[in-house]
DNA sequence: TTGTAAGCGTTATCAC
DNA sequence: GTGATAACGCTTACAA
């Protein structure tokens, strides 16, 4: 079932069919109609591999997120996919498992697929990744963090600033013994940057550096529960806990209860991400809300501008964040 | 940067380079080495669009899930992607928003991309979808439900049986006034089938039909909280509540607390999905665990068998489910 | 407004 | 073991 079949049935050339599909305004109305009838009759679907080969554009965008296993990046992927699809692009998705070599392997595979653009999560990348990217001219958007030196364009928020704001919030509410659960900043992770911000706020407030509990095997509630339990064994017991995501925070709520601590009276718990369960735990979780979907949409629009339009546009888009105050802090 | 560039540098023909990549065993070792050097030197990456055109296989598999917005299908997508990638396939993802026409549009778009296979969630599909599929010979795997008449292959579990088992569990624990929150069975949804199973169990136990609260705008905790609050206003108050997913169940826990009801003493709450927060709510959530990742892996393997191997293999794979007893029921 | 011809980068086929 | 040639289905450029 190819262009030629349609062309024969409609008694025109393949070019006319191609035009009827791509630039209908350039085709006489009667011809257009005949072609459309033929297409419907045959159930013809254009072969985008052939189209990609002929035009040099695949109309595929690839995105790499750290994990598909929880909902953190789900709304971002959704935002990306829906804006792109409306513009006729498909999304190819990969998860790096927070693992740089895997990211590089994915980038390589996607470049081989001749994707028209790439979305990468975070601003820290392998040398392998950077080299791969440097050799070709693929638009790249980095998301979920901010930097002054993006590969190309970055859409996100400052993880450091988020941590700092959380610290200021704790301070404003009279908390003085802060703690943090998440991943360590050595990994240059986004979670680690939040701790950096918290530490900075502690220093500015003249408080001791926050206690820390690092989880290594993913930021799941299971890992968080044990880590928080350990943290709460320390003396003096912290009176404010910042969790690098809401899954961790949910587990922290439970861990506090297990230790006989009342939230927020004995200890304030503040999450990150505003997962959909956050509003419905008891106590309801105070958290940092990130406009994940907006990140996806803005990233998609930035790409489309590069792909279809002029090529200009902001190189650095800060979507911000917001502390959502509920009951736990 | 194409095959020809590599060929020139290695002083061989393009075919030899192609073979060195695809069938290295057919190439003399010395030639192979020369080619590899040239490839590395140029940073050459094969163009898979051209390859797809020449071979008629894209090495892309498309999957359509109802939503990317929560983590329900995340582990399935992860399982799919990882098995497929190991075999050299990429995943193209779409979300239908639980909307049949959207599913059809996605199928159409994916078929145009000449995907080698399709994964669809659920076993109920549009006529448009079915027709599209009938015209070509693309392997299709349906997931997350079971039917005796799959389009091709189905990998999942019986949603009706899951609902029935939950009912039996309630009965075994002396609960007599059952209730359900989720979507209505008229939509032939998987959530609705769970209610069908619960109703069947109620009938068999000689109990009244379960009270129901249907959510329409997605199965989010926000929708669940209001629905459950309404449900608990009824007299007599139900003593067992089955929620169509754990997000709903988390909200139900909170709603019960809001109404002064103790869980599980006054009312048992049983979720569905074993989301990662389930083990860490208070009370910890009893739930139905679905091996989501296994569904993805088995689906991928079924596809690979069809694509690479003989073509035989089971047409119906039941991965089962399991009631995980924690504190809430 | 429509058609012709060439070519996109790869691989199947067949010859050497 | 290696190479020449002809597709694969589409679109660009140009001609009519």
């Amino acid at each position: 079932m190819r262009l030629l079949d349609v062309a024969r049935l409609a008694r025109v050339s393949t070019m006319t069919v191609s035009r009827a599909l791509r630039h209908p305004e350039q085709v006489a109305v009667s011809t257009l109609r005949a072609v459309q009838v033929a297409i419907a009759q045959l159930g013809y679907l254009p072969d985008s591999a052939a189209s990609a080969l002929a035009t040099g554009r695949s109309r595929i965008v690839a995105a790499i997120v750290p994990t598909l296993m929880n909902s953190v990046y789900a709304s971002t992927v959704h935002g990306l996919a829906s804006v792109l699809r409306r513009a006729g692009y498909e999304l190819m998705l990969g998860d790096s498992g927070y693992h740089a070599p895997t990211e590089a392997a994915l980038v390589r595979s996607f470049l081989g697929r001749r994707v028209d653009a790439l979305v990468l999560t975070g601003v820290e990348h392998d040398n392998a990744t950077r080299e791969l990217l440097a050799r070709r001219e693929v638009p790249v958007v980095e998301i979920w963090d901010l930097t002054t030196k993006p590969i190309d364009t970055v859409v996100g928020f400052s993880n450091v600033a988020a941590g700092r704001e959380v610290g200021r919030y704790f301070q404003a509410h009279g908390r003085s013994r802060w703690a943090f659960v998440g991943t360590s900043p050595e990994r240059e992770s986004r979670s680690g940057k939040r701790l950096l911000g918290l530490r900075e706020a502690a220093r500015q407030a003249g408080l001791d550096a926050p206690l820390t509990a690092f989880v290594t095997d993913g930021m799941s509630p299971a890992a968080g529960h044990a880590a928080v339990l350990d943290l709460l064994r320390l003396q003096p017991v912290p009176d404010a806990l910042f969790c690098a995501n809401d899954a961790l925070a949910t587990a922290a709520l439970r861990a506090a209860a297990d230790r006989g601590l009342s939230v927020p009276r004995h200890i304030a718990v503040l999450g990150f991400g505003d997962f959909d369960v956050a509003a419905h735990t008891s106590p309801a979780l105070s958290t940092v809300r990130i406009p994940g979907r907006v990140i996806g949409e803005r990233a998609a629009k930035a790409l489309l501008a590069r792909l279809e339009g002029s090529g200009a546009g902001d190189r650095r888009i800060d979507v911000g964040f917001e502390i959502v105050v509920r009951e736990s802090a």
Side-chain angles (χ1 to χ4, degrees), chain A:
Chain A
M1 200 80 342
R2 45 210 213 294
L3 221 40
L4 185 59
D5 299 310
V6 179
R8 279 207 263 256
L9 187 59
R11 303 179 162 286
V12 294
S13 73
T14 60
M15 253 331 285
T16 301
V17 180
S18 175
R19 270 193 283 259
L21 251 18
R22 237 47 75 180
H23 311 283
E25 73 286 358
Q26 295 178 15
V27 172
V29 200
S30 58
T31 318
L32 185 57
R33 197 141 29 221
V35 171
Q36 284 165 341
V37 168
I39 288 177
Q41 196 165 329
L42 296 174
Y44 168 76
L45 279 183
D47 183 329
S48 43
S51 170
L53 188 58
T55 59
R57 343 256 283 80
S58 62
R59 300 194 78 84
I60 296 176
V61 170
I64 302 177
V65 293
T67 177
L68 264 17
M69 295 298 286
N70 65 43
S71 59
V72 184
Y73 302 100
S75 55
T76 298
V77 171
H78 179 80
L80 258 176
S82 54
V83 173
L84 289 175
R85 183 159 305 120
R86 237 171 287 142
Y89 289 79
E90 269 329 314
L91 227 212
M92 209 168 244
L93 201 63
D95 58 334
S96 68
Y98 293 94
H99 187 235
T102 306
E103 183 185 61
L106 285 169
V107 168
R108 160 176 289 273
S109 168
F110 289 146
L111 289 175
R113 303 262 173 196
R114 298 296 188 264
V115 297
D116 289 344
L118 266 172
V119 177
L120 303 180
T121 306
V123 297
E124 330 284 345
H125 312 284
D126 238 2
N127 275 338
T129 302
R130 293 185 170 281
E131 247 167 66
L132 240 21
L133 260 22
R135 295 221 198 193
R136 15 235 125 199
E137 293 187 344
V138 196
V140 174
V141 176
E142 295 164 279
I143 58 173
W144 273 81
D145 204 348
L146 235 36
T147 173
T148 51
K149 297 198 196 332
I151 298 180
D152 182 339
T153 300
V154 61
V155 180
F157 59 93
S158 165
N159 283 280
V160 176
R164 198 163 43 217
E165 283 308 313
V166 168
R168 290 194 184 139
Y169 180 86
F170 285 160
Q171 187 189 1
H173 289 73
R175 307 285 173 165
S176 56
R177 299 183 306 280
W178 306 351
F180 170 90
V181 215
T183 56
S184 112
E186 277 86 72
R187 303 173 60 190
E188 273 298 336
S189 61
R190 292 175 296 289
S191 154
K193 289 182 181 176
R194 292 166 208 155
L195 170 56
L196 257 25
L198 189 73
R199 279 192 182 142
E200 193 183 315
R203 203 164 40 239
Q204 287 174 359
L207 298 173
D208 288 342
L211 297 172
T212 54
F214 295 135
V215 294
T216 46
D217 52 336
M219 301 209 286
S220 69
H225 187 257
V228 173
L229 237 29
D230 283 351
L231 207 52
L232 298 182
R233 243 185 287 276
L234 266 31
Q235 290 298 336
V237 175
D239 64 1
L241 174 63
F242 177 32
C243 305
N245 77 29
D246 283 354
L248 251 29
T250 308
L253 251 26
R254 175 66 197 238
D258 292 349
R259 304 277 302 164
L261 260 26
S262 161
V263 177
R265 197 152 60 83
H266 300 309
I267 183 168
V269 173
L270 213 145
F272 192 94
D274 196 24
F275 294 7
D276 57 7
V277 292
H280 302 276
T281 55
S282 37
L285 199 59
S286 297
T287 187
V288 179
R289 174 183 298 157
I290 305 302
R293 184 177 182 148
V294 172
I295 292 179
E297 293 169 347
R298 299 289 286 273
K301 281 175 193 159
L303 283 179
L304 291 176
R306 296 274 271 103
L307 290 172
E308 326 249 80
S310 47
D314 284 347
R315 288 258 169 264
R316 186 171 179 282
I317 299 174
D318 188 348
V319 298
F321 55 83
E322 173 195 0
I323 296 184
V324 179
V325 179
R326 296 202 179 96
E327 299 166 350
S328 70

